[in-house]
Amino acid sequence: MAEPVRLTFLGGLGEIGRNCACLEVDGRILIIDCGLMFPDLSMPGVDLVLPDFSWLRENADRVEACVLTHGHEDHVGALSYLLRDLSFPIYGSTLTLGLARSRIDEQGLLDRTELIPVLDGERRWIGPFDVEFIPVAHSVPHGFAIAIHTPQGVILHSGDWKIDLTPVDGRRTDLARIGTIATTEGVRLLLADSTNAEEPGHTVSEREVGTVLRGLFAANRRQRMVVACFASHLHRIQEVADAAIESDRVIATLGRSMAKNVALGRQLGLLRIPDANLRDIEQIGDLPPERVCVICTGSQGEPMSALALMAAGENRWIKLSAGDTVILSSHAIPGNEHSVGRVIDGIHRLGADVIHSGLAPVHVSGHAKQGEIKTLLAIARPEYFIPVHGEFRHLTHHSRLAMEMGLPDDRILLCEDGDVVAITDEGIDFAGEVPAGYLYVDGIVGDVGRGVLRDRRVLAEEGVVIVVVTVDARTGEVVAGPEVITRGWVYAPEAESLLEEARKVITISLEDAAAQGSPDFDTLRRNVRQAAGRFVHERTRRRPMIVPVVMEV
Ligand SMILES: [Zn+2]
Ligand SMILES: [Zn+2]
């Protein structure tokens, strides 16, 4: 009887982001990816969302290492938080480690880890884990699928992947190796990327974007070209650079992460841009527009990004005008459509032209669509299957695809964050749960918590009414006030009479309380809150936050 293996999902199953799975073999824990999630509109003021690491903290002494599939923030961005409490080595491709490194470095935590580069196809022991790193194509170079050869058979994790038969760097998803594993050892369990499980067909090759970009550069020969894309998408940046160089332009980067990643990509030999074609952004002002290409961040409409500042006419170096063509080589992530729309509006208002993925095929996805997903299932022929990396609907659609491919439904586990599965001789089944809620980060504070977010939503939607009153501690009689202060309920200078009425209503309720005998502090606070709340709602049908401040003398 072979020793059981366990798998615990701390994030990524039920949302796009904070991908993190933990594999247990022989009492040791291998972390597969450690990512963050960006907040949505329901999380005002939150900077980042992390996995709940309490289970890992409790088992800190058993953590062997972390292996990274690729360098996107939803896979590496939480490392700089986990490393505050834990210390472990991190394995990944050189580029992945380069991208992960900067956040860890910023937090001053590099001494808590060792970054160990691995090569395409490399297979090595990490403690009791026999780990193989299989090349996959994705929207950041040098991604891996990860095969772990365990006592319970091979667990294959696809990472974020797609099939690109003509990738920009020539590095294809190694389906042949996956096929070999399937026909020799067999794949006991497949964990695969669900992002595009609802999308029929196949993703278009990244190379096609290059062709479109070259065409656009040619069609706008006299224009200055400004292209926004993800700073980690080095393939795309290469294609933009190629189009620029072909049309005899120099290239300048704008945005901190763009400058950093272009430098990293060139240093690792992943980006081919000759020195002669690169300029600092300060040096392009004197050049005629047809000689210039700017590559910048902000393709998701992020408020303080290079592109957003340009669109608002507030960028120090680039003033957009009719002489500019701006390409958004991206697709708005759900939730960002509004910000992207506003940026596009701003650029138009300045007279520049905008080309986005709704107008021309200037973007392709980095994730496998249904055709590729089925191809992987056909080649890997897993005994068991767990869809990962997606919202619940993506996971559901992915499991349907697996069923279509002939996998019986008792071999498909629809897991969510926090689920633990045990892999034993008898099969694979649910084996418990661990805490896996959202950990909200605001500034450097670890956990903002749900209560704070609830308060923020009320404040944002309804405002606040603060009632300050001083009472005699013995009799409960009002000595001073009540003072009614508000932000976001009504605009006080124009609502003096309403505030005066509120003061009267609250005074009466306090007098009533005092008449019924000397009330205690909590009763007074409750009275003030109820009286103010009732009045505010009756008169304005609103429910702002009511903060009673009762002082005793
Ligand atoms: Zn991802
Ligand atoms: Zn990714």
Side-chain angles (χ1 to χ4, degrees):
M1 210 176 98
E3 206 194 321
V5 166
R6 286 157 68 91
L7 192 56
T8 301
F9 297 102
L10 294 185
L13 283 69
E15 67 266 317
I16 302 277
R18 54 175 219 145
N19 295 287
C20 186
C22 302
L23 183 69
E24 283 172 86
V25 170
D26 209 10
R28 304 294 292 167
I29 297 170
L30 182 72
I31 305 168
I32 304 169
D33 287 338
C34 187
L36 57 76
M37 184 168 88
F38 292 103
D40 61 36
L41 293 174
S42 71
M43 311 168 191
V46 172
D47 299 331
L48 307 166
V49 186
L50 304 177
D52 182 335
F53 290 128
S54 50
W55 180 77
L56 273 177
R57 272 198 300 270
E58 279 161 28
N59 293 281
D61 55 330
R62 299 203 287 127
V63 173
E64 184 72 39
C66 176
V67 292
L68 298 175
T69 58
H70 65 288
H72 278 152
E73 294 280 29
D74 60 323
H75 297 260
V76 308
L79 281 167
S80 54
Y81 294 88
L82 186 57
L83 283 170
R84 289 178 186 182
D85 301 323
L86 275 67
S87 178
F88 50 83
I90 302 169
Y91 295 79
S93 69
T94 310
L95 175 67
T96 301
L97 296 178
L99 292 169
R101 183 192 174 91
S102 61
R103 257 183 200 272
I104 299 171
D105 196 10
E106 273 169 24
Q107 301 290 328
L109 294 169
L110 278 176
D111 59 341
R112 301 189 58 85
T113 184
E114 189 187 352
L115 302 175
I116 301 166
V118 291
L119 298 171
D120 283 2
E122 186 170 336
R123 182 170 170 178
R124 65 186 295 165
W125 285 93
I126 300 172
F129 302 93
D130 179 0
V131 188
E132 186 175 346
F133 297 86
I134 301 168
V136 293
H138 184 41
S139 46
V140 60
H142 287 197
F144 289 131
I146 288 172
I148 304 127
H149 305 260
T150 79
Q152 287 292 341
V154 174
I155 297 172
L156 177 65
H157 191 303
S158 75
D160 288 9
W161 77 291
K162 64 174 184 172
I163 296 176
D164 189 339
L165 297 176
T166 54
V168 172
D169 58 5
R171 181 180 175 275
R172 292 192 196 97
T173 297
D174 194 350
L175 294 172
R177 176 58 195 152
I178 294 171
T180 303
I181 295 173
T183 50
T184 52
E185 297 164 78
V187 174
R188 186 83 194 282
L189 170 64
L190 172 67
L191 310 167
D193 174 4
S194 310
T195 313
N196 277 343
E198 292 179 311
E199 305 287 324
H202 296 257
T203 54
V204 173
S205 173
E206 178 63 35
R207 199 174 288 257
E208 305 274 319
V209 177
T211 309
V212 172
L213 288 172
R214 283 205 305 280
L216 289 171
F217 272 64
N220 294 279
R221 206 177 298 277
R222 302 259 153 262
Q223 297 283 95
R224 182 167 61 179
M225 300 300 280
V226 176
V227 186
C229 68
F230 275 125
S232 60
H233 203 328
L234 296 183
H235 295 140
R236 187 69 51 81
I237 295 167
Q238 181 70 60
E239 290 174 313
V240 175
D242 289 348
I245 293 166
E246 200 178 279
S247 57
D248 198 26
R249 295 168 188 264
V250 295
I251 298 148
T253 61
L254 195 54
R256 203 166 67 99
S257 55
M258 187 62 79
K260 206 162 60 179
N261 288 356
V262 165
L264 177 66
R266 292 180 80 220
Q267 180 198 330
L268 296 178
L270 296 169
L271 265 183
R272 297 171 312 277
I273 308 176
D275 282 335
N277 289 89
L278 263 187
R279 288 281 188 292
D280 279 344
I281 194 77
E282 305 100 272
Q283 299 171 334
I284 59 163
D286 301 334
L287 292 170
E290 69 270 19
R291 293 270 294 116
V292 175
C293 169
V294 175
I295 304 181
C296 68
T297 54
S299 61
Q300 292 299 316
E302 304 92 322
M304 292 311 290
S305 64
L307 189 66
L309 291 176
M310 267 188 262
E314 286 168 9
N315 188 271
R316 191 161 156 215
W317 310 109
I318 305 286
K319 301 286 172 219
L320 292 177
S321 68
D324 293 296
T325 296
V326 180
I327 301 175
L328 272 75
S329 188
S330 58
H331 186 72
I333 294 169
N336 292 347
E337 295 91 345
H338 184 70
S339 318
V340 173
R342 210 163 35 198
V343 165
I344 292 174
D345 252 22
I347 300 169
H348 277 299
R349 200 163 274 129
L350 294 168
D353 197 19
V354 186
I355 298 162
H356 55 79
S357 59
L359 295 172
V362 289
H363 179 70
V364 295
S365 173
H367 299 272
K369 294 187 179 175
Q370 289 178 351
E372 297 145 280
I373 286 172
K374 287 182 182 171
T375 304
L376 178 63
L377 284 160
I379 292 171
R381 283 181 288 140
E383 196 182 326
Y384 286 85
F385 173 64
I386 299 176
V388 298
H389 200 289
E391 294 170 9
F392 196 72
R393 63 198 186 125
H394 303 128
L395 307 178
T396 308
H397 277 268
H398 201 173
S399 51
R400 282 185 201 161
L401 292 175
M403 272 185 259
E404 264 179 60
M405 293 299 293
L407 223 74
D409 64 0
D410 61 350
R411 297 290 175 88
I412 302 167
L413 280 76
L414 197 54
C415 296
E416 290 188 83
D417 295 340
D419 281 339
V420 182
V421 297
I423 304 149
T424 65
D425 288 348
E426 281 76 52
I428 302 185
D429 213 343
F430 291 99
E433 273 176 46
V434 303
Y438 286 4
L439 194 81
Y440 303 100
V441 178
D442 181 8
I444 55 165
V445 178
D447 189 7
V448 177
R450 280 177 196 285
V452 171
L453 284 188
R454 208 167 36 234
D455 285 352
R456 283 184 186 178
R457 277 195 292 269
V458 172
L459 288 170
E461 285 163 17
E462 304 280 351
V464 61
V465 173
I466 300 165
V467 181
V468 185
V469 63
T470 309
V471 297
D472 186 306
R474 285 175 298 110
T475 62
E477 269 166 50
V478 176
V479 180
E483 194 89 46
V484 179
I485 305 157
T486 177
R487 290 289 183 278
W489 168 48
V490 292
Y491 186 54
E494 291 166 11
E496 203 35 63
S497 64
L498 194 63
L499 296 182
E500 183 53 43
E501 259 186 88
R503 278 192 283 274
K504 278 187 192 134
V505 169
I506 296 161
T507 307
I508 292 167
S509 89
L510 286 168
E511 282 167 2
D512 288 352
Q516 285 168 22
S518 59
D520 61 67
F521 192 69
D522 285 338
T523 310
L524 285 173
R525 275 173 51 93
R526 199 165 49 240
N527 265 319
V528 170
R529 188 194 312 254
Q530 281 171 355
R534 204 180 307 121
F535 173 80
V536 164
H537 187 249
E538 271 169 14
R539 293 299 307 272
T540 60
R541 288 283 174 269
R542 294 189 202 152
R543 294 202 180 280
M545 182 181 291
I546 310 281
V547 183
V549 182
V550 178
M551 290 174 287
E552 291 178 317
V553 287

